Amino acid sequence: MDAFFAAVEQREDPSLVGKALLIGHDGPRGVVATASYEARRFGCHSAQPMSVAKRLCPHAIVLPVRMELYRRASDRMFSILESFSPLIEPLSIDEAFVDLTGTERLLGEPVAVARRIKQRLRSELNLTGSVGLAANKFLAKLASDMNKPDGLTVIGPGDIERVLPPLPVTKLWGVGRATADRLEKRGVHTIADLRNKSEAWLAEFFGAEAERYARLARGLDDRPVVPDSDAKSIGHEQTFEVDLADAAEVRAVMLDQVEQVAARLRRHGLLARGVSLKIRFGKFQTINRSATLPRPTDATGELWDAARGVFDRWSFQPVRLIGVTAERLSHSPGQLDLFADPQRERRRKLDSVADRINRKFGKRAIHRGGPG
């Protein structure tokens, strides 16, 4: 989607259309979550300190993040995508891979399908999205970013040698600014430069990842689109603009993540045997902690008990990122209880009712009141 948070705000308040918007916390350590295209002309962008963005664009309107509003728009976006293919791999709240393999007889040529997706996003959501069409995930993602906003870009087999070589190395998945700086110090600025390096050089620089980068530099990527129903794990994580020093606030975010994870499990008929937490604190220190569940489950309460137990065993420090993941997924319920647990059945019914309400009115129409 194009400048998703800002675009949703402009849709909700037409007086904001055409104006520079910065979505994020307007505080001393605030960070831009999304900048509208009007603000981007002044050099503003996501993940930028809000103070810097405001200096670059003093007339910008700063609005707080309204995640509930964006989630409702996201739900509708994914519903549209699912009407074109059952193979949808979410990347984020506003981005996904859609595998159109085998849909030609039913839906027509992929380019025509891409146009229809864009048309429905505009007519049903009053929002625009940019579509990249290619034979693999890396090239499709690359194409989707090339002609924003409201773009439709195709990278066919005959386009690879024209498109890839002149691009900066930062276009390769996994090459961030720090890695790019290291590469540039060694004379590697473009994908063509990287292609010219020997296997030994790549192995020395990238280690075990050398082959992956060599393949990406040639437009090769054999990773399949993996929908939730086939995933080995399902998780949600959130990075905070500032470190959260209140453990209760972190638990509240975790509870929301557990509810979303559990709903996705139930939607696809999956059960989890394990729960893991990802916690980032301090100077980008990241730890992972996990727990094995006594039995496979999709129950929100049982997943929450496990996640909270893992978190409470950690010696709390201010948190920059928290993530909850359900692991070791299966469609099998494992060993069944000889006698039904009335309390467990009651919780299952509550989860089912909540799922039905949220499917009708939005993911967060009904949810638990707190992490008690």
Side-chain angles (χ1 to χ4, degrees):
M1 302 299 287
D2 298 322
F4 185 55
F5 294 0
V8 172
E9 295 289 353
Q10 289 173 327
R11 183 192 68 181
E12 296 298 304
D13 182 357
S15 71
L16 298 174
V17 174
K19 296 181 179 178
L21 296 185
L22 301 173
I23 311 299
H25 177 62
D26 190 10
R29 296 182 62 188
V31 176
V32 176
T34 303
S36 69
Y37 284 96
E38 294 83 359
R40 294 183 190 190
R41 298 190 189 107
F42 293 85
C44 304
H45 56 81
S46 60
Q48 184 179 57
M50 185 64 76
S51 57
V52 174
K54 289 169 67 176
R55 283 199 301 271
L56 293 170
C57 188
H59 62 282
I61 299 169
V62 181
L63 297 175
V65 172
R66 295 199 288 172
M67 193 56 69
E68 300 287 337
L69 181 64
Y70 313 144
R71 280 191 183 127
R72 289 197 294 272
S74 173
D75 291 347
R76 294 180 64 191
M77 178 202 79
F78 276 97
S79 293
I80 291 171
L81 297 182
E82 287 165 356
S83 70
F84 288 92
S85 172
L87 297 178
I88 309 293
E89 181 179 339
L91 277 180
S92 66
I93 191 173
D94 68 334
E95 187 173 17
F97 289 114
V98 183
D99 190 345
L100 295 178
T101 304
T103 65
E104 290 89 345
R105 290 183 63 183
L106 180 65
L107 301 178
E109 290 299 314
V111 174
V113 174
R115 292 195 183 100
R116 285 163 56 197
I117 290 173
K118 286 169 54 63
Q119 181 183 15
R120 287 189 58 186
L121 291 173
R122 184 184 292 277
S123 63
E124 297 179 29
L125 301 185
N126 196 23
L127 296 170
T128 65
S130 294
V131 177
L133 186 63
N136 63 53
K137 290 165 72 171
F138 167 59
L139 292 176
K141 166 66 174 166
L142 187 67
S144 72
D145 290 329
M146 292 181 72
N147 289 298
K148 281 181 147 309
D150 201 19
L152 197 173
T153 304
V154 180
I155 298 180
D159 301 318
I160 295 174
E161 291 306 309
R162 172 181 58 84
V163 172
L164 278 188
L167 293 177
V169 286
T170 51
K171 293 296 184 180
L172 295 176
W173 244 336
V175 176
R177 189 64 259 167
T179 302
D181 289 343
R182 290 174 54 219
L183 285 167
E184 288 173 4
K185 288 177 181 177
R186 302 181 68 169
V188 177
H189 302 272
T190 67
I191 291 176
D193 294 334
L194 194 65
R195 285 185 176 190
N196 291 329
K197 295 299 183 181
S198 67
E199 290 185 13
W201 191 96
L202 293 172
E204 182 270 327
F205 189 91
F206 290 111
E209 293 289 293
E211 183 180 357
R212 184 176 75 86
Y213 284 110
R215 287 176 56 81
L216 288 178
R218 286 163 175 78
L220 302 174
D221 180 14
D222 56 6
R223 294 169 304 148
V225 173
V226 182
D228 281 352
S229 58
D230 295 333
K232 298 185 184 300
S233 64
I234 289 177
H236 283 267
E237 65 180 45
Q238 181 173 340
T239 301
F240 307 115
E241 296 170 355
V242 297
D243 293 351
L244 285 194
D246 186 341
E249 288 186 60
V250 180
R251 288 192 194 94
V253 174
M254 287 172 52
L255 176 58
D256 177 70
Q257 293 173 341
V258 168
E259 289 187 312
Q260 294 182 65
V261 167
R264 288 171 66 186
L265 290 174
R266 292 189 292 270
R267 181 180 180 185
H268 296 285
L270 295 169
L271 301 174
R273 191 59 197 267
V275 171
S276 69
L277 257 61
K278 178 180 178 182
I279 305 168
R280 181 167 296 151
F281 60 97
K283 294 184 178 180
F284 298 101
Q285 296 171 279
T286 303
I287 61 171
N288 291 277
R289 298 287 186 269
S290 61
T292 296
L293 297 160
R295 55 191 169 189
T297 186
D298 59 5
T300 300
E302 294 175 20
L303 293 167
W304 169 239
D305 289 343
R308 181 176 55 182
V310 173
F311 181 76
D312 289 346
R313 288 194 296 272
W314 178 57
S315 180
F316 182 78
Q317 300 177 50
V319 171
R320 176 54 63 99
L321 175 149
I322 191 75
V324 176
T325 299
E327 300 178 323
R328 285 174 279 163
L329 307 184
S330 71
H331 291 277
S332 169
Q335 185 175 351
L336 297 175
D337 293 334
L338 182 60
F339 301 103
D341 180 346
Q343 183 70 8
R344 195 167 191 244
E345 289 302 310
R346 178 176 174 273
R347 290 180 178 178
R348 185 177 297 280
K349 290 178 180 178
L350 287 173
D351 284 338
S352 178
V353 170
D355 289 344
R356 289 199 300 270
I357 292 173
N358 287 332
R359 278 197 297 269
K360 184 172 182 180
F361 297 106
K363 279 184 182 176
R364 298 287 290 159
I366 183 170
H367 57 92
R368 283 164 172 75

